[in-house]
Amino acid sequence: MKIMDRYQAGINLGGWISQYREYNFEHFDTFIQRKDIEQIAAWGFDHIRLPFDYPLFEDDALPYQYKIDGFKYIDNCLNWCKEFGLNLVLDLHRAPGYSFDSLENNTLFEDQKQQDRLIKLWEAIAGYYVNERDNLLFELLNEIVEPDSTRWNLLSKKLVAAIRAIDKERYIIIGGNNYNAVSELENLDILEDDRIIYNFHFYEPMVFTHQKAHWFEMTRLLDMEQNYPGKCVGIKEFCEKYPQFESIMEMDNVTMDKSLLESYLQPAIDFLNKTGKPLYCGEYGVIDHAPAQDRINWHKDLISILKELKIGRACWSYKLMNFAIVDRNSQVVSEELVKVISDK
């Protein structure tokens, strides 16, 4: 069995031990429980992608002193996954000196001490989970944003070497620059290591998947319903009013449909043809502001393409986080959407 055969249809557990509102054990103990993993398995998924933030393991005031409580939550998820026949991707969402959602504060790529902390953190995790096998993958760092891929290529090689010194067999996931953009796959260095999986995220076109998203100035100001399939509307008038967003003029009156998604995914196809390396789509999804049926339509088209290409995937996200599959009480938002995204 090839490794990606075990990671075809997954779902993210965003908002649990990553992107939480505050570091709070009551939240960690209740947001995701055994019953949630049981539900995900019953739907037919084969894996979970588990984002986690480094403060779960290490305080900035006490670097290199790792907290056993942090491992407890991952242990719980891993054991539940084993119980219900699921595999697990362990995704570092926030690292010492780096977070995709606070770029102005990042120091990782300038600060050797922060890089050393990141390397040591992965060494600690690798040592702790050394006896787990292909049911557990390590994803080095979520959504790099750098001027180019040079510094990330260098750092990712150091991280792989550190893990390999402890565990020569662990499958490791490396994503590209610009928020794991599919277009950045070509700029990743391909390692001479048969147990590396390459990763991209897919939220194209953003004017549809992130419509009315409050955390992006462009989508907040555009504030217009977009349909899928359908023509992208209101872009010319919007750019005339807000010329700072003229880069989205290319979407004016564009038909958003499966052929458009295929065009966006061409870099993934090129990567597969050029390298033959395993490829994974670690995040994809549509904001819950979008019309419910349009949301389903987009997922159907994207997943049909990814399945044809044999690219494994994990939907963003299980609970809340603006892309919900279930509500805060873990009740399903759309049975049809669940059926679409769990299809292997």
Side-chain angles (χ1 to χ4, degrees):
M1 176 183 288
K2 294 181 179 179
I3 186 61
M4 294 315 297
D5 291 342
R6 303 177 64 162
Y7 293 86
Q8 283 299 296
I11 195 164
N12 280 269
L13 298 183
W16 180 23
I17 52 176
S18 174
Q19 292 178 272
Y20 40 78
R21 292 185 177 179
E22 61 177 330
Y23 192 97
N24 181 293
F25 287 108
E26 181 180 359
H27 167 77
F28 298 152
D29 290 336
T30 59
F31 188 77
I32 297 293
Q33 299 178 327
R34 177 181 177 274
K35 63 182 180 182
D36 294 292
I37 309 304
E38 182 178 17
Q39 177 168 248
I40 290 167
W43 287 335
F45 288 97
D46 60 17
H47 77 279
I48 282 168
R49 180 174 180 256
L50 178 59
F52 72 98
D53 290 353
Y54 82 93
L56 197 69
F57 289 97
E58 179 186 16
D59 293 327
D60 288 329
L62 298 168
Y64 309 111
Q65 297 185 29
Y66 303 116
K67 298 180 281 189
I68 196 65
D69 281 347
F71 286 103
K72 178 182 75 171
Y73 295 105
I74 294 174
D75 285 346
N76 286 343
C77 189
L78 182 59
N79 289 333
W80 294 331
C81 284
K82 288 179 180 178
E83 180 180 356
F84 296 111
L86 296 172
N87 301 297
L88 186 66
V89 173
L90 192 54
D91 154 54
L92 181 58
H93 232 60
R94 180 181 167 212
Y98 187 82
S99 179
F100 71 97
D101 57 0
S102 59
L103 301 180
E104 66 281 359
N105 299 322
N106 290 337
T107 59
L108 176 65
F109 291 98
E110 292 81 31
D111 188 338
Q112 187 59 51
K113 291 182 179 179
Q114 300 288 50
Q115 293 183 31
D116 291 342
R117 284 179 63 188
L118 176 57
I119 291 168
K120 291 297 183 183
L121 175 59
W122 271 118
E123 287 178 346
I125 294 169
Y128 188 89
Y129 290 112
V130 69
N131 292 321
E132 299 294 335
R133 293 290 29 119
D134 293 350
N135 61 303
L136 179 66
L137 311 185
F138 292 165
E139 184 175 338
L140 297 180
L141 189 53
N142 181 69
E143 293 193 348
I144 297 298
V145 181
E146 276 275 277
D148 60 48
S149 297
T150 303
R151 296 195 296 185
W152 173 231
N153 280 328
L154 290 171
L155 179 55
S156 61
K157 289 173 187 174
K158 293 178 182 178
L159 292 168
V160 169
I163 294 170
R164 283 286 173 263
I166 297 166
D167 188 339
K168 297 187 184 304
E169 301 299 316
R170 179 71 51 210
Y171 277 96
I172 298 170
I173 298 175
I174 304 176
N177 195 16
N178 193 23
Y179 301 97
N180 282 19
V182 66
S183 58
E184 289 289 335
L185 286 170
E186 66 177 0
N187 296 318
L188 281 172
D189 286 351
I190 304 303
L191 306 188
E192 293 184 9
D193 187 323
D194 291 337
R195 290 181 173 253
I196 301 294
I197 298 164
Y198 297 89
N199 177 31
F200 67 95
H201 293 174
F202 193 84
Y203 293 101
E204 302 294 350
M206 289 282 288
V207 291
F208 171 73
T209 66
H210 282 64
Q211 58 187 279
K212 304 181 183 180
H214 63 85
W215 59 92
F216 288 136
E217 185 182 17
M218 182 270 288
T219 51
R220 185 175 68 251
L221 292 173
L222 182 58
D223 191 23
M224 183 175 293
E225 182 176 293
Q226 303 287 345
N227 297 112
Y228 184 96
K231 293 280 189 181
C232 189
V233 298
I235 301 300
K236 181 179 180 181
E237 295 80 5
F238 175 74
C239 291
E240 288 173 352
K241 185 175 181 180
Y242 299 104
Q244 66 267 38
F245 300 114
E246 64 179 358
S247 61
I248 69 165
M249 261 300 292
E250 63 185 20
M251 289 302 300
D252 183 51
N253 212 35
V254 165
T255 299
M256 296 183 289
D257 58 11
K258 186 175 181 178
S259 64
L260 181 67
L261 301 189
E262 288 172 335
S263 69
Y264 281 124
L265 284 166
Q266 188 60 48
I269 297 169
D270 294 342
F271 180 90
L272 290 170
N273 290 336
K274 181 179 179 180
T275 70
K277 299 294 185 180
L279 195 53
Y280 178 63
C281 180
E283 290 183 20
Y284 67 95
V286 177
I287 197 167
D288 50 16
H289 295 318
Q293 188 58 52
D294 294 15
R295 192 180 180 202
I296 291 167
N297 295 340
W298 183 93
H299 280 89
K300 281 182 176 178
D301 282 352
L302 175 65
I303 289 168
S304 70
I305 301 168
L306 295 179
K307 285 177 63 179
E308 184 177 345
L309 295 171
K310 295 182 171 54
I311 295 174
R313 65 186 195 271
C315 183
W316 186 268
S317 183
Y318 173 70
K319 181 184 281 190
L320 304 182
M321 303 300 291
N322 299 107
F323 288 73
I325 306 304
V326 301
D327 63 19
R328 63 180 63 255
N329 298 313
S330 299
Q331 298 302 304
V332 175
V333 172
S334 165
E335 294 285 357
E336 185 178 0
L337 181 58
V338 168
K339 184 178 180 180
V340 169
I341 64 175
S342 61
D343 183 16
K344 296 192 288 290

